Amino acid sequence: HFLEALVRRDRNNPSVVIWSLSNEMSPITRYDLENPKMAAMTRCFLRIIEEAEAEDDSRIIQMSSAMDFLGRLRMYNLHYPKSWQAFPDYPPTAYWLDGSFLFPWYGPARDKMPAWSWRKDKPLFIGEFTCVFGATPDAQACIVGDIAFEDKDHGTERVNAKLWPMEVQAYRRQDVSGFCAWAFVLGNRTEVGPVLERSDVAAHTRAVRPLAVLDHGYRTQWFSGDELSFPLSIHNDTRYNRELALKLEITCDEEVLWQETMPPKVYGPAENLAFTSRFRAPVTEQRLDLLLRATLTCGEEIVDEWTKTLRVWPKSRERTFPPDCAIYDPEGRLAALFAERGLQGGIFLPTLEERTDLSAFRALWLNFAEAKVHAADWRRVRGIVERFVREGGLVILDKAEPVWGDLPVPLKAYPGHAPGRRLEITYAWGRAPYHPVMARFTDDDFCLWGEDYYVARSCLETPQEGNAIPLLVAGTDRAGLTATPLLELRHGCGSYLVSTLELFPKLLEAPVVANLVVALADYRPEHRPATVGACLGQESLVRLREVGFMGQPATLAEALQAEVALIDGACLGESLEEALEEIGAALEAGRTVYLHELSEAQTRSVLNAFDLPGEVLPGAAEPEEFDIFRHTHPLANGMTHNYLYWIVDKAKVPPWTAAPLHPEPASAVIRLKQGDQATQITRRGAVTIYPVGKGTLVIDNLRWQLPDFDEPERPRRYLMCLLTNLGVPLAAGAAKRMSKDTETAEERRERGVF
């Protein structure tokens, strides 16, 4: 009799507008009824609905996250129609409402189910949205980048502040009847004031202001002479008629270039108007910063006002390709595109054969999409291309999916939720600031390109083996930033730059693309494989084999004769003083000595022997404490914080709680003072780099070799990048991969992968 008592008690309460009878436990499609338990529960719910309607037929009934309960209800309800970390291609539109859509929570039977579309014959309520959580900060990092690892809340407030306004504005323009930002809660607080001051709550409050002119466009950069379009909407979400007028203007240095007004119009309660305003950018030979101002008035009162900075770039601004860069262009498509964009230089090759002489070039660009290069072309020239790279050349493989498996380390596509299981992204983050290609760019350059905002329509999985350095990172779901749309793969003395970026499609839309294309063509690999000596314990050697190390174990004396010596603390022997003398001689000779997992006592002895600064402390970590990277040295190129988030015993905790981390991720750490002549690439001081004599001393006390990590791909990627940056040659690794491709769901759950 609970429902009967509840309805009779509250049916005269004016604050009750909907009876909501379930939460996330109802059928969505008829396929769900194939489950006997769901079918039985559905019969029970049908009785409940009938009883509620009999007690009160004046209110709508909903079943949260159940659509319209197989057509039985007068209202739709959706929870998380788009899981942002699973679909990080925000924000173009609320396309899950624009047309048909297969929801991510359809699960394994997704391909059997019909797509859903909002017919708008029933009101729609978004029950919950933009709740990003998980056992690690990786889900949040897919939305806001590596900074998620640096926040106590795993970046959740940053995610909300970024996504809540996007989603709220999309729903308001679609005329959704209601929505609930589920994570907008007080928690254990009793004071509302501090909560309202949070950045995400303030952003939500701003987005739901009742009288508003909303901007649904996120593009901010155009070319000279382009048409600028501004998708806008006016809203009166009050209970009264309001006479609203809008004024738009664009200024440059306070000079008005364009103005548009909408005369006063009466908007009824909950009435809105969606429209697009257009402006032609002025022709210019230099960059212009424009200011768009929107002012909404009700009578004499300004009820909403905001500004937005727009940047206009000259279309014909010259960019010069290096003359030693060859571009294979069999149909002349790229040459025409370069001419239209104003790009100069480069040599366009109409043919490329096995007998083609590439000795006059230092770089070769192969585009497999717009230039119409095919897999057959690759098979014909694969031999000369491989030799060209091995001898020090650069080959840019642009959208080269047919050849990914033929590279020195096979690459594969990163799975996503776009057609073909591709990962499409509108944001990427740079993780290699010391790389020549990336030196002149910031993260703001790698987001929201052009009219549809896409930076890449597919991504690669960051390898766990070989000499690979991701220059840009992205991600989806809860795996973190382990996808890449731009990767350097070193081979011999040269490199492949493998790109999935939308470079040529956006050459006439995104001003940064021309600069990036030239930066890629300008890059000249200046590395060569170093000779390597490895005096390592068995566990370290096993982990090195997993990432592709090909060297053989050596004695300490033998290892120190190589250009790069990899030495475990446990292999320094009983006579540490003698070992340090040999290490000192190697450093004076200009070699690189990499010391791994030194004890506290050994670390102090090394610092004292070479008169190096730093206070040595225990390497144990406090609960929920972990290391993050400082990109202050080239050795950190390609690293993301994900690589240092070392998880143990994850299967013992629920998936919504913080993952348990290794209690002693380092054998010792070093604390430096300001002004000390050393560089640390981790926050806790586990990895410190010292110049000693003519050489370089790297003390890496991170215990990456331990076998008890639940997700060994994290330390493997760290080690792969570190060794590559040290110049250590790597090949395909020997690790048995544990992934969705080879494990059952039960096996993944046992090792704590949710």
Side-chain angles (χ1 to χ4, degrees):
H1 302 291
F2 171 78
L3 179 67
E4 176 184 285
L6 173 71
V7 174
R8 290 184 180 181
R9 185 193 70 184
D10 292 334
R11 62 187 173 188
N12 290 325
N13 187 330
S15 294
V16 176
V17 295
I18 296 170
W19 296 117
S20 187
L21 302 183
S22 74
N23 181 55
E24 299 185 355
M25 54 185 297
S26 309
I28 298 171
T29 74
R30 299 195 180 279
Y31 292 101
D32 295 324
L33 300 181
E34 295 176 1
N35 181 320
K37 291 183 178 180
M38 181 66 78
M41 186 171 63
T42 300
R43 291 192 294 271
C44 180
F45 272 129
L46 286 171
R47 287 178 53 198
I48 293 174
I49 292 171
E50 291 172 359
E51 292 174 8
E53 289 177 334
E55 291 292 334
D56 177 14
D57 62 358
S58 68
R59 290 179 176 88
I60 286 178
I61 292 173
Q62 74 164 16
M63 311 288 277
S64 291
S65 191
M67 312 274 257
D68 62 347
F69 198 71
L70 307 179
R72 176 66 175 76
L73 301 178
R74 293 180 290 155
M75 177 180 182
Y76 292 115
N77 179 290
L78 298 178
H79 281 12
Y80 309 117
K82 176 170 180 172
S83 174
W84 288 100
Q85 70 270 20
F87 293 81
D89 55 338
Y90 48 87
T93 63
Y95 55 73
W96 53 101
L97 297 181
D98 285 343
S100 60
F101 190 62
L102 281 168
F103 293 104
W105 26 256
Y106 273 178
R110 189 169 185 259
D111 293 337
K112 295 197 307 180
M113 296 187 182
W116 180 81
S117 59
W118 182 21
R119 299 189 308 265
K120 297 196 175 183
D121 59 329
K122 299 179 180 182
L124 171 63
F125 182 81
I126 306 297
E128 303 176 14
F129 69 87
T130 315
C131 177
V132 179
F133 67 92
T136 75
D138 291 300
Q140 290 90 328
C142 293
I143 307 300
V144 296
D146 249 357
I147 198 170
F149 284 81
E150 303 177 33
D151 294 342
K152 291 183 179 179
D153 70 344
H154 289 183
T156 299
E157 184 174 333
R158 294 178 188 271
V159 169
N160 292 342
K162 183 175 185 177
L163 297 187
W164 275 349
M166 291 183 184
E167 196 150 0
V168 166
Q169 293 187 173
Y171 292 148
R172 292 185 73 180
R173 187 173 191 181
Q174 289 278 358
D175 206 17
V176 170
S177 297
F179 40 80
C180 171
W182 178 81
F184 192 155
V185 294
L186 296 180
N188 295 324
R189 296 177 181 268
T190 57
E191 295 294 329
V192 176
V195 176
L196 295 178
E197 293 174 0
R198 274 177 18 200
S199 61
D200 56 346
V201 176
H204 181 276
T205 302
R206 171 70 177 161
V208 299
R209 60 197 187 277
L211 295 174
V213 52
L214 301 181
D215 177 16
H216 303 276
Y218 298 92
R219 186 177 178 186
T220 59
Q221 301 199 51
W222 288 267
F223 283 115
S224 166
D226 281 356
E227 181 182 82
L228 284 59
S229 62
F230 308 113
L232 305 170
S233 58
I234 296 175
H235 297 263
N236 171 26
D237 282 325
T238 73
R239 297 163 54 199
Y240 308 101
N241 291 336
R242 300 283 186 169
E243 187 176 70
L244 302 177
L246 176 65
K247 177 182 177 182
L248 301 171
E249 66 177 16
I250 292 179
T251 59
C252 180
D253 295 331
E254 299 186 356
E255 178 187 355
V256 177
L257 303 182
W258 171 81
Q259 193 175 84
E260 182 175 273
T261 59
M262 297 181 67
K265 175 183 180 298
V266 175
Y267 292 78
E271 184 178 353
N272 63 61
L273 175 67
F275 59 95
T276 299
S277 290
R278 303 181 187 279
F279 164 70
R280 181 69 64 178
V283 176
T284 179
E285 293 300 321
Q286 60 184 2
R287 193 191 82 189
L288 292 179
D289 289 337
L290 311 180
L291 191 69
L292 170 65
R293 181 182 300 277
T295 306
L296 187 69
T297 57
C298 182
E300 299 296 322
E301 179 187 3
I302 296 177
V303 293
D304 192 24
E305 186 173 31
W306 48 261
T307 61
K308 177 178 181 179
T309 300
L310 316 173
R311 185 156 289 171
V312 176
W313 297 84
K315 182 173 291 187
S316 60
R317 187 175 179 184
E318 291 187 359
R319 298 288 186 278
T320 303
F321 252 54
D324 59 357
C325 178
I327 305 162
Y328 181 40
D329 190 21
E331 298 182 10
R333 294 170 178 262
L334 300 187
L337 191 59
F338 277 34
E340 187 176 359
R341 177 61 182 86
L343 287 172
Q344 307 292 324
I347 304 297
F348 292 90
L349 302 179
T351 59
L352 188 62
E353 304 290 342
E354 177 67 33
R355 61 180 181 273
T356 302
D357 182 11
L358 296 177
S359 61
F361 305 107
R362 293 288 307 282
L364 173 65
W365 195 304
L366 299 176
N367 173 273
F368 284 70
E370 291 76 27
K372 303 298 184 184
V373 177
H374 300 292
D377 299 313
W378 171 257
R379 289 193 294 269
R380 190 172 60 251
V381 301
R382 179 172 51 189
I384 63 166
V385 169
E386 193 274 337
R387 288 194 300 272
F388 179 69
V389 173
R390 191 175 62 244
E391 294 169 3
L394 170 73
V395 171
I396 299 140
L397 295 176
D398 185 6
K399 294 185 177 178
E401 185 171 357
V403 312
W404 290 347
D406 285 339
L407 298 176
V409 172
L411 304 176
K412 62 180 182 179
Y414 195 94
H417 295 271
R421 298 195 69 233
R422 302 189 315 269
L423 172 62
E424 297 181 325
I425 57 171
T426 53
Y427 281 76
W429 290 271
R431 292 285 84 186
Y434 287 90
H435 193 282
V437 170
M438 303 300 296
R440 66 188 81 172
F441 299 103
T442 67
D443 284 350
D444 290 341
D445 292 320
F446 297 102
C447 64
L448 308 179
W449 283 359
E451 196 65 31
D452 63 8
Y453 306 120
Y454 284 105
V455 172
R457 293 283 188 174
S458 63
C459 286
L460 294 156
E461 181 181 320
T462 299
Q464 302 171 38
E465 57 193 344
N467 290 122
I469 295 291
L471 306 187
L472 291 170
V473 294
T476 184
D477 292 322
R478 291 179 168 83
L481 300 175
T482 53
T484 173
L486 183 61
L487 173 82
E488 180 181 13
L489 189 61
R490 297 180 181 178
H491 178 59
C493 295
S495 289
Y496 297 94
L497 284 178
V498 188
S499 169
T500 63
L501 294 166
E502 291 288 285
L503 295 174
F504 295 125
K506 298 298 176 71
L507 197 57
L508 300 176
E509 294 183 26
V512 69
V513 169
N515 294 337
L516 180 59
V517 166
V518 172
L520 293 171
D522 272 337
Y523 175 51
R524 295 293 174 268
E526 296 179 357
H527 53 260
R528 62 177 182 80
T531 60
V532 182
C535 182
L536 300 167
Q538 184 59 32
E539 282 187 341
S540 295
L541 194 58
V542 167
R543 183 53 48 89
L544 259 68
R545 294 278 187 243
E546 291 175 359
V547 300
F549 180 67
M550 300 170 290
Q552 298 302 316
T555 65
L556 178 63
E558 292 170 339
L560 290 171
Q561 295 303 308
E563 294 170 301
V564 177
L566 309 175
I567 302 168
D568 267 349
C571 297
L572 289 177
E574 296 181 1
S575 180
L576 182 59
E577 185 174 339
E578 291 182 12
L580 292 178
E581 287 182 5
E582 295 181 60
I583 290 172
L587 291 168
E588 286 298 329
R591 301 182 184 120
T592 296
V593 177
Y594 169 86
L595 301 178
H596 171 241
E597 200 187 11
L598 302 179
S599 68
E600 292 179 55
Q602 288 176 320
T603 305
R604 290 191 187 95
S605 296
V606 170
L607 299 189
N608 291 334
F610 301 118
D611 194 24
L612 300 174
E615 177 188 3
V616 180
L617 301 171
E622 297 294 329
E624 298 187 19
E625 182 183 19
F626 56 94
D627 234 331
I628 61 174
F629 285 107
R630 293 170 171 170
H631 285 82
T632 54
H633 191 278
L635 280 185
N637 272 347
M639 307 284 197
T640 79
H641 300 336
N642 167 284
Y643 302 173
L644 296 183
Y645 203 83
W646 295 347
I647 299 167
V648 293
D649 298 326
K650 187 175 173 185
K652 297 179 181 180
V653 300
W656 54 83
T657 60
L661 303 178
H662 200 286
E664 193 174 357
S667 55
V669 296
I670 299 172
R671 178 183 295 167
L672 297 177
K673 297 178 181 178
Q674 189 172 3
D676 286 344
Q677 296 301 304
T679 303
Q680 293 183 319
I681 63 171
T682 65
R683 175 176 59 184
R684 297 179 66 236
V687 184
T688 308
I689 304 147
Y690 294 96
V692 179
K694 298 178 182 178
T696 300
L697 174 65
V698 181
I699 300 178
D700 179 5
N701 287 334
L702 288 170
R703 304 173 71 206
W704 42 256
Q705 83 287 355
L706 296 178
D708 56 344
F709 298 129
D710 285 355
E711 298 177 358
E713 56 268 26
R714 295 175 186 260
R716 274 200 291 257
R717 288 189 171 108
Y718 161 73
L719 188 59
M720 176 200 71
C721 286
L722 181 72
L723 295 178
T724 298
N725 291 329
L726 285 169
V728 177
L730 303 174
K736 178 183 177 182
R737 297 289 175 246
M738 300 177 71
S739 68
K740 294 179 182 178
D741 300 331
T742 58
E743 291 178 291
T744 66
E746 290 75 15
E747 289 171 334
R748 286 175 60 78
R749 184 66 183 86
E750 284 176 4
R751 74 178 182 101
V753 179
F754 304 130

